[in-house]
């Protein structure tokens, strides 16, 4: 197995000081709680801890930011007896490293564990919020429904209120499609976006979103029987 390399990056500590350093790119599948770094090539390896680091980054590769957020940990597994009977999110207040996907006036983040993924967003300097998507079994029955409140949230954060909402309603709770949307609304607002990760290519341009047309609006309650 090839040895992992230290790559120039930085982290910001609790005193808001930016420390340039060398960070090992672990290629995390799931969000980390620590990372390994050293200040110089010949210095000893140290561990950056969640409680001590506000953010860490290797430019053009990844960026993680620490925040205390409300996260819904309801089970998404269809064969899980723990799947909720309620459509309402079940909030837990937690301190986490969130992966930055799109950074701009409207920013998109992700938190992932085994069989578990949640997306978050921030509008300018407002607090981070989860994009709400929840599978549930009403009345504890066999059939399940989806709370797709994230669709309403996506509609609300756009400064272009005349966007065809039928197009927004087709956006799946998935990284690629959410990235496209955040890049679209930032570009429409004249804002430059920074995209992190291997998927940062020009297919995030406005072209995939040409279906966003100015027309009449319609609303929904966020509850759906489809995926």
């Amino acid at each position: 197995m090839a040895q992992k390399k230290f790559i120039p990056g930085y982290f910001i500590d609790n005193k808001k000081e930016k420390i340039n350093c060398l960070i090992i790119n672990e290629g995390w599948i799931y969000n980390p709680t620590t990372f390994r770094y050293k200040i110089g090539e010949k210095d000893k390896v140290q561990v950056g801890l969640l409680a001590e680091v506000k953010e860490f980054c290797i430019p053009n590769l990844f960026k993680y930011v620490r925040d205390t957020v409300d996260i819904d940990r309801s089970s998404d597994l269809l064969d899980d007896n723990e799947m909720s009977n309620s459509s309402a999110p079940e909030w837990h207040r937690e301190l986490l490293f969130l992966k930055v996907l799109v950074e701009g006036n409207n920013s998109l983040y992700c938190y992932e564990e085994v069989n578990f993924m949640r997306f978050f967003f921030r509008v300018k300097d407002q607090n981070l919020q989860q994009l709400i998507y929840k599978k549930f079994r009403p009345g504890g029955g066999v059939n399940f429904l989806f709370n797709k409140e994230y669709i309403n949230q996506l509609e609300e954060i756009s400064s272009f209120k005349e966007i065809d909402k039928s197009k927004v309603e087709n956006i799946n709770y998935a990284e690629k499609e959410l990235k496209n949307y955040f890049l679209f609304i930032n570009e429409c607002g004249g804002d430059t976006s920074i995209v992190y990760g291997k998927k940062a290519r020009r297919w995030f341009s406005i072209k995939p979103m040409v279906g966003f047309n100015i027309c009449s609006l319609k609303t929904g309650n966020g509850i759906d029987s489809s995926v």
Side-chain angles (χ1 to χ4, degrees), residues 24-170:
I24 290 184
N25 180 13
E26 304 280 2
W28 296 279
I29 298 175
Y30 307 117
N31 289 49
T33 56
T34 64
F35 64 97
R36 292 183 293 164
Y37 72 93
K38 56 185 180 181
I39 301 302
E41 286 286 357
K42 297 182 179 180
D43 293 318
K44 67 176 183 180
V45 177
Q46 302 183 62
V47 178
L49 303 176
L50 178 64
E52 299 174 354
V53 175
K54 297 177 71 67
E55 73 176 58
F56 66 99
C57 174
I58 294 179
N60 301 318
L61 286 180
F62 65 74
K63 181 176 182 180
Y64 288 88
V65 298
R66 186 190 71 189
D67 211 322
T68 302
V69 296
D70 291 321
I71 184 169
D72 174 27
R73 287 192 168 274
S74 305
S75 175
D76 291 329
L77 299 179
L78 301 182
D79 60 349
D80 191 341
N81 292 329
E82 299 301 319
M83 180 176 285
S84 175
N85 298 333
S86 170
S87 65
E90 299 168 19
W91 298 117
H92 298 262
R93 192 74 170 162
E94 298 183 26
L95 184 68
L96 304 171
F97 275 137
L98 299 178
K99 183 179 181 180
V100 183
L101 301 178
V102 177
E103 193 170 52
N105 279 341
N106 302 283
S107 298
L108 177 67
Y109 309 81
C110 178
Y111 182 81
E112 185 173 5
E113 296 177 358
V114 179
N115 297 320
F116 180 86
M117 178 177 284
R118 296 291 183 268
F119 293 98
F120 294 78
F121 72 98
R122 189 199 303 273
V123 177
K124 295 184 178 179
D125 296 325
Q126 298 179 14
N127 291 333
L128 272 160
Q129 298 180 57
Q130 182 187 309
L131 287 167
I132 299 170
Y133 174 78
K134 179 180 177 180
K135 297 177 183 177
F136 66 99
R137 287 193 177 100
V142 177
N143 297 324
F144 53 88
L145 296 176
F146 299 83
N147 178 346
K148 293 187 175 183
E149 178 60 25
Y150 77 94
I151 296 296
N152 293 330
Q153 292 173 291
L154 294 178
E155 292 169 347
E156 290 174 3
I157 66 176
S158 172
S159 59
F160 297 86
K161 299 303 182 184
E162 295 83 3
I163 282 178
D164 181 355
K165 289 193 175 184
S166 67
K167 304 298 182 182
V168 183
E169 289 168 359
N170 290 324

